[in-house]
Amino acid sequence: MARDRRFGSVRRLPSGKWQARYTWEALEHKAPRTFASRDAAEAWLRTKRTELDTGWILTRERRRRSVTFSEYAQGWLEERQDLKPRTRVLYAGQLDRYLLPAFGQLTVNAITTDTVREWWRRMDPDKATARAHAYALLRTILEAARKDDPPLIDVNPCRLREAGSPPRRRHRIQPATPAELATIVENMPPQLRAAVLLSAWGGLRWGEVAELRRKDLSGNVVHVTRAVVRLPGEDPETVAARRRPRFVVGDPKSEAGIRAVTLPAAIMPAIQAHLDAMEDKRPDALLFHAKSNPAQHLAVSTLNKAWHPARAAAGRPDLRWHDLRHTGAVFAAQAGATLAELMARLGHSTHKAALRYQHAAADRDARIAEALSAMVEAGFAASRRTVNVALPPMPGRTRP
């Protein structure tokens, strides 16, 4: 007789009786009595396993029929301790605005592919990016429900191909020239000129610049260890509600964002002048702060009041603040920085991100072509001197 040992075990006691025992949810359980034969003990184990399996199945089915999407989604968001503060607020806003009104009262296992498709069809196609991000969040939450223990669904109903991919914006960034940067700096208020220099020539993100303190500068090296984000205030009813904004200090965008950046010596006099002009000389003093409160971070809206006129004075009304970082990265690449060096300087953890900055300004490409042409000319000239073969004429030229 074949014996199934996958659940529990039996053993013969010194008395000659048989004992049955099993492990369930990490605890060992013994049968309340002993048995006269081995077959009787194993029969008891089979019966107990059926009872436990049936109970587990019933519990799972009751949970499937009772857990709403609203309960599961909000619990999922609370448990995601790995989310950055801005991402948490973004997800909460997407839930409140797009997902909970459509799916909140449905049980998770009642959401079907047709339900998702109809919701997708009703969403405003003019808000393609918001729609794609909302769909991606829905898919992520339902995938977590599928992988839960026990699972709430057997198959993720989000089956719309590429619905979670936002349309690519063809925004071609035109880096600023050194002359344009100089004009911008000259037209910024004195207390914000160093912010432009650090963003452009240091390649820092705005959140990193806004959190810089005196202690983070050591000679011509700036140590990036923190960043600040501006979030809406929390509300008892919904995290996404907008009340008084708050600033949250945390780690940089990625682990690679913690770095030391060496600044060009040419900008150090301006950086030092900014430090000398600061009234607060304490190590923790913010380099750039709100006008009314030296202990409060500078808001982007306040920065833009100075930034917009300054970029217009340089003839670059198209230049965004983040483009300063892009500009500095392109300059570093043109100066000979390798891909690994660019990644370290910009705080990127992937090659793909750093590669975006390894392009040059339009006039730089023309110079490269001129240099390549000179190399071709030199190659043909050297070949004619050393090899006695007929060479094709250069385009646009007559053979000598």
Side-chain angles (χ1 to χ4, degrees):
M1 176 180 176
R3 302 187 184 277
D4 186 356
R5 296 294 189 174
R6 289 175 296 176
F7 177 78
S9 63
V10 298
R11 67 169 179 160
R12 192 169 189 174
L13 301 175
S15 63
K17 297 286 187 178
W18 289 83
Q19 182 187 66
R21 56 187 175 182
Y22 65 92
T23 300
W24 187 257
E25 294 184 346
L27 295 176
E28 185 180 70
H29 303 270
K30 295 180 181 179
R33 67 184 189 280
T34 57
F35 303 91
S37 68
R38 182 186 190 119
D39 287 343
E42 291 182 342
W44 182 87
L45 280 176
R46 288 193 293 270
T47 300
K48 177 54 67 175
R49 179 174 185 175
T50 300
E51 291 176 357
L52 293 172
D53 286 348
T54 301
W56 184 84
I57 291 171
L58 290 175
T59 300
R60 182 188 67 177
E61 292 306 314
R62 280 196 297 270
R63 184 167 180 256
R64 285 191 175 202
R65 291 194 298 267
S66 63
V67 177
T68 65
F69 178 79
S70 177
E71 294 169 342
Y72 188 82
Q74 296 192 58
W76 173 86
L77 185 59
E78 290 175 3
E79 292 172 1
R80 288 291 305 274
Q81 299 301 316
D82 58 319
L83 296 179
K84 295 284 187 180
R86 188 188 295 275
T87 303
R88 183 176 298 279
V89 171
L90 174 64
Y91 284 175
Q94 291 172 343
L95 280 172
D96 289 339
R97 187 170 184 179
Y98 301 112
L99 301 184
L100 296 185
F103 305 104
Q105 300 307 310
L106 297 176
T107 57
V108 175
N109 71 332
I111 301 174
T112 66
T113 299
D114 288 340
T115 308
V116 174
R117 184 180 291 109
E118 179 63 17
W119 163 77
W120 174 262
R121 186 184 65 81
R122 291 178 177 274
M123 287 191 71
D124 188 353
D126 292 336
K127 299 179 179 179
T129 299
R131 184 167 71 157
H133 288 167
Y135 177 87
L137 179 59
L138 174 65
R139 181 178 58 195
T140 298
I141 293 173
L142 293 179
E143 184 64 14
R146 187 186 71 82
K147 294 180 178 179
D148 211 341
D149 185 20
L152 289 180
I153 53 177
D154 296 321
V155 178
N156 192 331
C158 293
R159 314 281 296 272
L160 304 180
R161 180 174 294 184
E162 299 183 357
S165 301
R168 295 183 179 180
R169 296 180 178 178
R170 296 184 177 276
H171 176 74
R172 182 175 178 81
I173 299 174
Q174 178 66 33
T177 66
E180 289 170 344
L181 283 177
T183 301
I184 290 173
V185 170
E186 291 171 358
N187 284 273
M188 290 288 286
Q191 68 272 18
L192 292 177
R193 290 172 181 169
V196 177
L197 296 172
L198 288 166
S199 296
W201 296 103
L204 272 63
R205 301 176 178 91
W206 168 246
E208 297 167 348
V209 172
E211 170 51 21
L212 285 179
R213 300 171 188 269
R214 292 185 70 99
K215 64 182 181 182
D216 296 321
L217 285 171
S218 177
N220 67 331
V221 176
V222 56
H223 298 275
V224 182
T225 59
R226 304 170 310 281
V228 64
V229 293
R230 183 178 183 269
L231 302 177
E234 292 190 2
D235 183 271
E237 296 297 327
T238 167
V239 176
R242 288 190 174 274
R243 298 175 66 197
R244 178 175 296 179
R246 58 196 173 97
F247 293 92
V248 177
V249 177
D251 297 330
K253 189 174 181 180
S254 66
E255 185 176 346
I258 300 176
R259 62 200 190 278
V261 179
T262 303
L263 302 173
I267 71 169
M268 292 312 300
I271 301 297
Q272 188 59 51
H274 178 86
L275 295 174
D276 294 341
M278 291 176 60
E279 295 182 4
D280 193 343
K281 306 297 183 182
R282 293 176 300 175
D284 281 334
L286 286 167
L287 264 61
F288 312 101
H289 54 77
K291 184 179 297 185
S292 59
N293 186 355
Q296 183 176 332
H297 292 88
L298 181 67
V300 173
S301 57
T302 302
L303 173 72
N304 285 338
K305 291 178 181 178
W307 169 248
H308 290 167
R311 69 181 184 180
R316 292 300 307 274
D318 61 304
L319 199 67
R320 303 169 303 178
W321 184 272
H322 188 71
D323 295 344
L324 294 178
R325 170 175 161 85
H326 186 109
T327 296
V330 171
F331 288 166
Q334 292 178 350
T338 65
L339 184 59
E341 291 166 341
L342 272 180
M343 290 174 62
R345 187 172 183 83
L346 298 175
H348 280 151
S349 56
T350 65
H351 290 80
K352 183 178 179 181
L355 279 171
R356 291 200 303 263
Y357 301 104
Q358 278 200 316
H359 69 71
D363 61 338
R364 177 64 178 170
D365 191 55
R367 295 176 188 173
I368 292 174
E370 291 176 4
L372 292 173
S373 180
M375 293 169 63
V376 173
E377 295 271 10
F380 270 91
S383 180
R384 289 191 182 95
R385 288 195 300 268
T386 59
V387 182
N388 186 21
V389 296
L391 294 173
M394 292 291 291
R397 298 177 181 269
T398 59
R399 293 179 63 179

mmCIF file of all heavy atoms in Angstrom, residues 230-246:
data_model
loop_
_atom_site.group_PDB
_atom_site.id
_atom_site.type_symbol
_atom_site.label_atom_id
_atom_site.label_comp_id
_atom_site.label_asym_id
_atom_site.label_seq_id
_atom_site.Cartn_x
_atom_site.Cartn_y
_atom_site.Cartn_z
ATOM 1 N N ARG A 230 8.726 69.290 -1.723
ATOM 2 C CA ARG A 230 7.594 70.081 -1.226
ATOM 3 C C ARG A 230 6.324 69.282 -1.462
ATOM 4 O O ARG A 230 6.015 68.912 -2.587
ATOM 5 C CB ARG A 230 7.520 71.424 -1.967
ATOM 6 C CG ARG A 230 6.417 72.366 -1.499
ATOM 7 C CD ARG A 230 6.504 73.670 -2.287
ATOM 8 N NE ARG A 230 5.531 74.647 -1.864
ATOM 9 C CZ ARG A 230 4.320 74.785 -2.387
ATOM 10 N NH1 ARG A 230 3.946 73.976 -3.380
ATOM 11 N NH2 ARG A 230 3.491 75.704 -1.958
ATOM 12 N N LEU A 231 5.599 69.015 -0.383
ATOM 13 C CA LEU A 231 4.399 68.195 -0.457
ATOM 14 C C LEU A 231 3.196 68.969 0.038
ATOM 15 O O LEU A 231 3.326 69.885 0.859
ATOM 16 C CB LEU A 231 4.561 66.928 0.399
ATOM 17 C CG LEU A 231 5.733 66.011 0.058
ATOM 18 C CD1 LEU A 231 5.788 64.868 1.047
ATOM 19 C CD2 LEU A 231 5.612 65.490 -1.363
ATOM 20 N N PRO A 232 2.000 68.587 -0.438
ATOM 21 C CA PRO A 232 0.795 69.187 0.123
ATOM 22 C C PRO A 232 0.599 68.707 1.552
ATOM 23 O O PRO A 232 1.074 67.632 1.925
ATOM 24 C CB PRO A 232 -0.322 68.670 -0.795
ATOM 25 C CG PRO A 232 0.228 67.418 -1.374
ATOM 26 C CD PRO A 232 1.707 67.641 -1.510
ATOM 27 N N GLY A 233 -0.092 69.481 2.350
ATOM 28 C CA GLY A 233 -0.344 69.094 3.731
ATOM 29 C C GLY A 233 -1.280 67.909 3.812
ATOM 30 O O GLY A 233 -2.093 67.682 2.928
ATOM 31 N N GLU A 234 -1.153 67.126 4.879
ATOM 32 C CA GLU A 234 -2.009 65.965 5.051
ATOM 33 C C GLU A 234 -3.360 66.376 5.617
ATOM 34 O O GLU A 234 -3.492 67.328 6.372
ATOM 35 C CB GLU A 234 -1.344 64.947 5.984
ATOM 36 C CG GLU A 234 -0.107 64.316 5.379
ATOM 37 C CD GLU A 234 0.386 63.150 6.210
ATOM 38 O OE1 GLU A 234 -0.263 62.840 7.220
ATOM 39 O OE2 GLU A 234 1.417 62.568 5.841
ATOM 40 N N ASP A 235 -4.366 65.627 5.247
ATOM 41 C CA ASP A 235 -5.725 65.854 5.686
ATOM 42 C C ASP A 235 -6.248 64.562 6.304
ATOM 43 O O ASP A 235 -5.914 63.473 5.835
ATOM 44 C CB ASP A 235 -6.611 66.254 4.494
ATOM 45 C CG ASP A 235 -8.027 66.581 4.935
ATOM 46 O OD1 ASP A 235 -8.847 65.659 4.982
ATOM 47 O OD2 ASP A 235 -8.305 67.747 5.229
ATOM 48 N N PRO A 236 -7.045 64.620 7.393
ATOM 49 C CA PRO A 236 -7.556 63.388 8.006
ATOM 50 C C PRO A 236 -8.334 62.512 7.038
ATOM 51 O O PRO A 236 -8.363 61.302 7.178
ATOM 52 C CB PRO A 236 -8.456 63.906 9.133
ATOM 53 C CG PRO A 236 -7.964 65.276 9.431
ATOM 54 C CD PRO A 236 -7.485 65.818 8.104
ATOM 55 N N GLU A 237 -8.981 63.104 6.041
ATOM 56 C CA GLU A 237 -9.827 62.341 5.129
ATOM 57 C C GLU A 237 -9.044 61.757 3.961
ATOM 58 O O GLU A 237 -9.263 60.647 3.526
ATOM 59 C CB GLU A 237 -10.951 63.230 4.589
ATOM 60 C CG GLU A 237 -11.902 63.718 5.672
ATOM 61 C CD GLU A 237 -12.633 62.574 6.357
ATOM 62 O OE1 GLU A 237 -12.905 61.564 5.679
ATOM 63 O OE2 GLU A 237 -12.912 62.676 7.556
ATOM 64 N N THR A 238 -8.098 62.514 3.436
ATOM 65 C CA THR A 238 -7.348 62.048 2.281
ATOM 66 C C THR A 238 -5.973 62.688 2.256
ATOM 67 O O THR A 238 -5.841 63.898 2.426
ATOM 68 C CB THR A 238 -8.070 62.359 0.961
ATOM 69 O OG1 THR A 238 -7.167 62.169 -0.127
ATOM 70 C CG2 THR A 238 -8.575 63.780 0.898
ATOM 71 N N VAL A 239 -4.953 61.864 2.058
ATOM 72 C CA VAL A 239 -3.579 62.372 2.033
ATOM 73 C C VAL A 239 -3.383 63.340 0.888
ATOM 74 O O VAL A 239 -2.558 64.243 0.952
ATOM 75 C CB VAL A 239 -2.603 61.176 1.904
ATOM 76 C CG1 VAL A 239 -1.166 61.667 1.785
ATOM 77 C CG2 VAL A 239 -2.745 60.269 3.110
ATOM 78 N N ALA A 240 -4.165 63.191 -0.178
ATOM 79 C CA ALA A 240 -3.962 64.009 -1.372
ATOM 80 C C ALA A 240 -4.578 65.396 -1.252
ATOM 81 O O ALA A 240 -4.378 66.237 -2.110
ATOM 82 C CB ALA A 240 -4.558 63.299 -2.586
ATOM 83 N N ALA A 241 -5.363 65.644 -0.211
ATOM 84 C CA ALA A 241 -6.005 66.960 -0.076
ATOM 85 C C ALA A 241 -4.938 68.033 0.090
ATOM 86 O O ALA A 241 -3.935 67.846 0.768
ATOM 87 C CB ALA A 241 -6.946 66.964 1.121
ATOM 88 N N ARG A 242 -5.166 69.182 -0.500
ATOM 89 C CA ARG A 242 -4.185 70.261 -0.458
ATOM 90 C C ARG A 242 -4.513 71.229 0.680
ATOM 91 O O ARG A 242 -5.514 71.921 0.648
ATOM 92 C CB ARG A 242 -4.162 71.018 -1.789
ATOM 93 C CG ARG A 242 -3.533 70.203 -2.914
ATOM 94 C CD ARG A 242 -3.310 71.064 -4.136
ATOM 95 N NE ARG A 242 -2.596 70.339 -5.150
ATOM 96 C CZ ARG A 242 -1.275 70.255 -5.203
ATOM 97 N NH1 ARG A 242 -0.549 70.842 -4.301
ATOM 98 N NH2 ARG A 242 -0.687 69.579 -6.164
ATOM 99 N N ARG A 243 -3.634 71.209 1.683
ATOM 100 C CA ARG A 243 -3.718 72.191 2.745
ATOM 101 C C ARG A 243 -2.418 72.978 2.724
ATOM 102 O O ARG A 243 -1.847 73.196 1.664
ATOM 103 C CB ARG A 243 -3.957 71.488 4.074
ATOM 104 C CG ARG A 243 -5.284 70.708 4.125
ATOM 105 C CD ARG A 243 -5.421 69.923 5.403
ATOM 106 N NE ARG A 243 -5.528 70.800 6.548
ATOM 107 C CZ ARG A 243 -5.338 70.395 7.804
ATOM 108 N NH1 ARG A 243 -5.014 69.141 8.056
ATOM 109 N NH2 ARG A 243 -5.459 71.239 8.804
ATOM 110 N N ARG A 244 -1.931 73.395 3.859
ATOM 111 C CA ARG A 244 -0.678 74.137 3.887
ATOM 112 C C ARG A 244 0.464 73.221 3.451
ATOM 113 O O ARG A 244 0.647 72.146 4.008
ATOM 114 C CB ARG A 244 -0.420 74.668 5.287
ATOM 115 C CG ARG A 244 0.901 75.425 5.422
ATOM 116 C CD ARG A 244 1.024 76.025 6.784
ATOM 117 N NE ARG A 244 -0.010 77.027 7.011
ATOM 118 C CZ ARG A 244 -0.134 77.690 8.156
ATOM 119 N NH1 ARG A 244 0.682 77.461 9.159
ATOM 120 N NH2 ARG A 244 -1.107 78.586 8.288
ATOM 121 N N PRO A 245 1.264 73.619 2.461
ATOM 122 C CA PRO A 245 2.340 72.748 1.978
ATOM 123 C C PRO A 245 3.405 72.545 3.049
ATOM 124 O O PRO A 245 3.569 73.352 3.963
ATOM 125 C CB PRO A 245 2.889 73.499 0.770
ATOM 126 C CG PRO A 245 2.526 74.922 1.012
ATOM 127 C CD PRO A 245 1.214 74.885 1.728
ATOM 128 N N ARG A 246 4.141 71.485 2.928
ATOM 129 C CA ARG A 246 5.197 71.167 3.877
ATOM 130 C C ARG A 246 6.429 70.691 3.110
ATOM 131 O O ARG A 246 6.316 70.187 1.999
ATOM 132 C CB ARG A 246 4.738 70.092 4.863
ATOM 133 C CG ARG A 246 4.311 68.811 4.187
ATOM 134 C CD ARG A 246 3.500 67.915 5.113
ATOM 135 N NE ARG A 246 2.962 66.776 4.387
ATOM 136 C CZ ARG A 246 3.515 65.572 4.361
ATOM 137 N NH1 ARG A 246 4.634 65.360 5.025
ATOM 138 N NH2 ARG A 246 2.974 64.585 3.681
#
